[in-house]
Amino acid sequence: MKKRCCLLTVLLLCLCLATSALAAPDYMLLEGDGVTSPIVKDGENVAINVVISQGAKQGNADQIWLWKYFEEVLNVKVNVEQVTDATEYRNLALASGDFPDIMINMGVSASELVNYGQEESMFLKIDEYIDEYMPHLKAIYEEHPEYRTAIEAPDGHIYALGGIADPDDETRNTGIHIHEKWLNELGLSMPETLDELVEALRAMKAAYPDSTPYSGSYNNSNPGLIILTALGIVTSDAKGLSPALRKGEVIFPFGDRETYGEFLRILNTFYQEGIMSRDFFTMTSTQVYSMIAEGKGGLFSSAPWSASPDIYMDWNAAKPLTSAYNESPLWPANMGALTCGRWVINAETAYPELCCKLADFFFSKTGLVLGFYGPMTMDTDILFDMTSGWYWDDASKWIIYPDIVNDTAGIYGGMENMYRQAKIMLFTGVQMGDYRTFFEDVAEYAKADYRRVWSYDSLDFRHYAGMVDQQKPYYTQGYPSNVFFDSETNERVVELASVIKPFVEAETAKFVTGARPLTEEELDSYFTTLDAYGYQEYLQYYADYYEANAAK
């Protein structure tokens, strides 16, 4: 009898535990889609606190439509703190362990997810809430389990969420653009080799002495990718500081004895001949964009319209180049197609289910449209007197905001993205959720017939048309963007990087400006010093990781 009672007690206990694991908190509603229906019951006094980075062109939280939508439609009250220096805030917050329920777009790295999530247990294990509270993300992972694997820490848990993109989607990829109007005026064809590019930039400088053909700076709109890829290096890092692939082998461009010297020689030539700005290593983003807007640049690594809508027709996407080091053109596919670190939840939050449920909003098609484009003009009940909304334009096959059309003061410069940053979205672009088909999703929301075909006559999409024609045929997968070293390895990698990277950046500047002679002896000394600083050990960690994880 006692044995039966004990067995019954155990069974009841297990049943209670299972039931409690499935039961939502009393304040939550799970019956709706969590996108257009409330997720918090009426009358519940529930509020979550978030900190989010604020870009230079972003509106204040009380001006952003999406926060109001969360409150009015989802019934989620969010107290928002915006910070302009995400790095400083993040460093202090992680050191002290004092941060709000959610950190959004604060630049949390994979190594920090391991350190403060896996090791310190400061971040919520989001994966434990997916099945019950995140139906949209769950469906995606069931169809593509590799998406889940790509952002798992070494212990198999997910400590942050980000975006899901198609790696071959040109709207998500790095581009480089060339001043085609100048090429035409000079009777030059689009460069196809590295030598042809050098000669084209020389011709631009000769014809337009006021220009800076190799436009951009070391830290802002750096055009170095067009040279590195011509040397056969698959990377999205124009500085050459990140792990990359060359001939299928893991390298760091700055440590590759065969090609880095050539990279430096080309930049040194540009510097000496005035093709590059003498302020290349110090120019700000504002200075670079002004240069392009004034029609004084030859290369630009951002969409030309973002500098000025008046000059977008003068530019076209550049072709990937070949060189003596690389016979086949290549261009990096989107190694960051599966990101993490944009949505990090405090493990101590009183509302883990709600924080996860709110993140799931962005992984639905309707949530993605509302989250990044806002309501249509016909959605009068959710405009909240904060936006005109948008409507579908059959002529342009895209959306139009009356607020932009009627912007006689030029606040938004005629640019949709600037408007959305100021009025609609939490981020500076479509950066969170499942945006593999976001153009099609917008059209579907508007009940419009749409095929993704870019027009060279379109202000917003000319650069995409060029990228499809010139660069997309050569997309090549490189080194993965998410690297989850175990804590011991990560500690050593960080230690090595703290010595190696400052040395590389300092010596690169010296070689380029001529402060250090670009001789074979000096280059050999540079590489020897790199090895003395532990470069080979540093490289081996990344090579081993790639070999172990390349198949994922």
Side-chain angles (χ1 to χ4, degrees), residues 385-402:
D385 293 322
M386 298 180 74
T387 175
S388 64
W390 55 269
Y391 62 88
W392 184 265
D393 179 53
D394 283 326
S396 64
K397 295 294 183 184
W398 192 236
I399 65 177
I400 291 178
Y401 291 89

Side-chain angles (χ1 to χ4, degrees), residues 161-268:
L161 297 172
I164 298 174
D166 177 355
D168 291 332
D169 181 356
E170 61 278 2
T171 70
R172 299 286 97 193
N173 276 27
T174 301
I176 189 84
H177 301 85
I178 193 165
H179 202 143
E180 189 175 47
K181 180 182 177 183
W182 282 358
L183 292 178
N184 293 336
E185 289 174 353
L186 296 170
L188 298 173
S189 300
M190 180 75 73
E192 296 187 0
T193 70
L194 187 53
D195 288 342
E196 289 176 3
L197 175 71
V198 172
E199 291 309 313
L201 298 184
R202 278 180 171 146
M204 290 178 183
K205 184 63 180 178
Y208 314 103
D210 244 5
S211 71
T212 306
Y214 191 78
S215 35
S217 71
Y218 186 72
N219 291 311
N220 299 285
S221 301
N222 189 329
L225 212 56
I226 198 166
I227 302 175
L228 291 170
T229 53
L231 298 174
I233 299 170
V234 189
T235 180
S236 294
D237 180 0
K239 297 180 182 179
L241 296 175
S242 302
L245 297 181
R246 183 166 184 265
K247 298 179 180 178
E249 299 294 324
V250 178
I251 67 162
F252 281 88
F254 65 76
D256 188 55
R257 287 177 176 263
E258 185 178 357
T259 59
Y260 199 63
E262 182 65 14
F263 178 68
L264 293 173
R265 275 187 280 269
I266 293 171
L267 294 186
N268 177 261

Side-chain angles (χ1 to χ4, degrees), residues 21 24 47-48 54 62 95 126 163 199 208 258 287 290 346 397 409 423 445 447 467 469 475 490 493 512 549:
I48 56 175
Q54 182 179 21
D62 60 358
I126 296 173
E199 291 309 313
Y208 314 103
E258 185 178 357
Q287 290 173 312
S290 294
N346 193 325
K397 295 294 183 184
K423 304 283 286 184
Y445 186 88
K447 296 180 172 58
M467 289 169 67
D469 289 343
Y475 282 175
N490 187 67
V493 166
V512 171
N549 294 276

Side-chain angles (χ1 to χ4, degrees), residues 129-398:
Y129 296 83
I130 291 175
D131 285 351
E132 296 303 321
Y133 299 101
M134 308 182 77
H136 305 296
L137 182 58
K138 178 184 177 182
I140 294 168
Y141 283 167
E142 286 177 346
E143 183 179 357
H144 292 282
E146 71 275 15
Y147 292 175
R148 179 173 186 147
T149 304
I151 65 168
E152 287 178 344
D155 63 359
H157 289 294
I158 295 173
Y159 292 100
L161 297 172
I164 298 174
D166 177 355
D168 291 332
D169 181 356
E170 61 278 2
T171 70
R172 299 286 97 193
N173 276 27
T174 301
I176 189 84
H177 301 85
I178 193 165
H179 202 143
E180 189 175 47
K181 180 182 177 183
W182 282 358
L183 292 178
N184 293 336
E185 289 174 353
L186 296 170
L188 298 173
S189 300
M190 180 75 73
E192 296 187 0
T193 70
L194 187 53
D195 288 342
E196 289 176 3
L197 175 71
V198 172
E199 291 309 313
L201 298 184
R202 278 180 171 146
M204 290 178 183
K205 184 63 180 178
Y208 314 103
D210 244 5
S211 71
T212 306
Y214 191 78
S215 35
S217 71
Y218 186 72
N219 291 311
N220 299 285
S221 301
N222 189 329
L225 212 56
I226 198 166
I227 302 175
L228 291 170
T229 53
L231 298 174
I233 299 170
V234 189
T235 180
S236 294
D237 180 0
K239 297 180 182 179
L241 296 175
S242 302
L245 297 181
R246 183 166 184 265
K247 298 179 180 178
E249 299 294 324
V250 178
I251 67 162
F252 281 88
F254 65 76
D256 188 55
R257 287 177 176 263
E258 185 178 357
T259 59
Y260 199 63
E262 182 65 14
F263 178 68
L264 293 173
R265 275 187 280 269
I266 293 171
L267 294 186
N268 177 261
T269 297
F270 290 165
Y271 188 86
Q272 299 301 332
E273 297 183 11
I275 294 170
M276 170 198 292
S277 171
R278 290 295 174 123
D279 298 321
F280 179 78
F281 289 95
T282 59
M283 284 177 68
T284 65
S285 176
T286 300
Q287 290 173 312
V288 172
Y289 274 68
S290 294
M291 178 195 302
I292 302 301
E294 292 167 8
K296 295 181 178 180
L299 292 172
F300 193 43
S301 62
S302 298
W305 61 256
S306 65
S308 170
D310 297 329
I311 53 90
Y312 79 100
M313 288 294 290
D314 299 343
W315 293 74
N316 196 358
K319 288 184 177 180
L321 308 173
T322 59
S323 70
Y325 299 84
N326 176 47
E327 296 180 352
S328 301
L330 62 87
W331 198 254
N334 183 12
M335 280 79 80
L338 303 169
T339 65
C340 56
R342 293 200 183 277
W343 192 281
V344 181
I345 302 171
N346 193 325
E348 299 299 320
T349 179
Y351 306 108
E353 301 88 355
L354 179 57
C355 293
C356 291
K357 187 70 175 174
L358 197 60
D360 196 48
F361 174 92
F362 294 96
F363 292 93
S364 73
K365 291 187 175 184
T366 299
L368 188 85
V369 174
L370 292 173
F372 292 100
Y373 293 91
M376 295 186 70
T377 52
M378 67 178 67
D379 299 329
T380 54
D381 56 331
I382 57 172
L383 295 177
F384 309 134
D385 293 322
M386 298 180 74
T387 175
S388 64
W390 55 269
Y391 62 88
W392 184 265
D393 179 53
D394 283 326
S396 64
K397 295 294 183 184
W398 192 236

Side-chain angles (χ1 to χ4, degrees), residues 419-464:
Y419 176 80
R420 292 190 291 115
Q421 286 193 53
K423 304 283 286 184
I424 302 296
M425 55 188 178
L426 313 187
F427 301 86
T428 56
V430 183
Q431 299 165 332
M432 170 76 183
D434 177 16
Y435 38 74
R436 288 172 294 172
T437 58
F438 73 94
F439 282 97
E440 291 81 357
D441 296 342
V442 173
E444 182 179 336
Y445 186 88
K447 296 180 172 58
D449 182 24
Y450 171 78
R451 289 182 303 111
R452 188 186 291 199
V453 179
W454 308 124
S455 167
Y456 277 97
D457 295 325
S458 167
L459 167 65
D460 291 310
F461 303 137
R462 176 181 171 84
H463 63 297
Y464 290 150

